[in-house]
Amino acid sequence: MIGLDELSAAPASREIGAPESAPQVLLLGVGNWLMGDEGVGIHVVRELEAQPPLFGVRTLDGGTGGVNLLLELEGFRDVVMVDATRDGQPAGTITFLQPRQVGDLPRGLGAHDFGLKDLFAAAALLGQLPRIHLYTISVEELKPMCTDLSPAVAAAVPEVVHAMHAHAARLAAPTHA
């Protein structure tokens, strides 16, 4: 049995009842893993999960979650996300955007497109819209029931992984607000 004197002398890792430091930055990849290049966001997130962890940053495979991800956004100041886009650019083209409004989001692909716009619209209505930092990777062809990326899209993954990891590190730095 531990006495009160021993408890007060023991170093505490944190105060009892004190909240854990919540991450302020979410690294989010979306897409359909089973549709070839349309799943590039998931490929990027899986590579990000293999990177050294960053304090204040959470990584999430959002799949085709759409509006179902609303609770996942709660409490985050910034969301650094990646998605495939069919924007007429050559496959593997990387674009970075900072949409200020839901209407500024580019046209996505597949079933999750409508859901993502709904997701951010709902977050805005609730007053919980984080700052969005969006990386898109252009795709040309979708292959149902395929988990492989085309060579051009696969070649873009390491650059986006590096950019997103560095971006999240800057956003999570104590001096950034």
Side-chain angles (χ1 to χ4, degrees), residues 101-167:
Q101 306 174 53
V102 175
D104 295 340
L105 288 166
R107 182 179 177 277
L109 298 175
H112 72 275
D113 179 39
F114 182 73
L116 279 181
K117 289 189 179 186
D118 283 349
L119 167 67
F120 290 118
L125 286 172
L126 294 172
Q128 299 175 356
L129 183 64
R131 291 182 297 217
I132 301 168
H133 312 267
L134 175 62
Y135 290 85
T136 63
I137 301 173
S138 301
V139 303
E140 294 174 353
E141 184 180 351
L142 305 182
K143 293 184 180 178
M145 300 310 294
C146 174
T147 60
D148 295 328
L149 298 175
S150 67
V153 171
V157 170
E159 183 178 342
V160 174
V161 167
H162 176 74
M164 288 181 69
H165 193 264
H167 196 144

Side-chain angles (χ1 to χ4, degrees), residues 28-35 38-39 42 61-69 83 109-116 119:
L28 175 65
V30 294
N32 188 333
W33 177 258
L34 296 174
M35 292 290 288
E38 207 278 333
I42 307 310
D61 172 345
T64 58
V67 77
N68 294 327
L69 296 171
D83 194 8
L109 298 175
H112 72 275
D113 179 39
F114 182 73
L116 279 181
L119 167 67

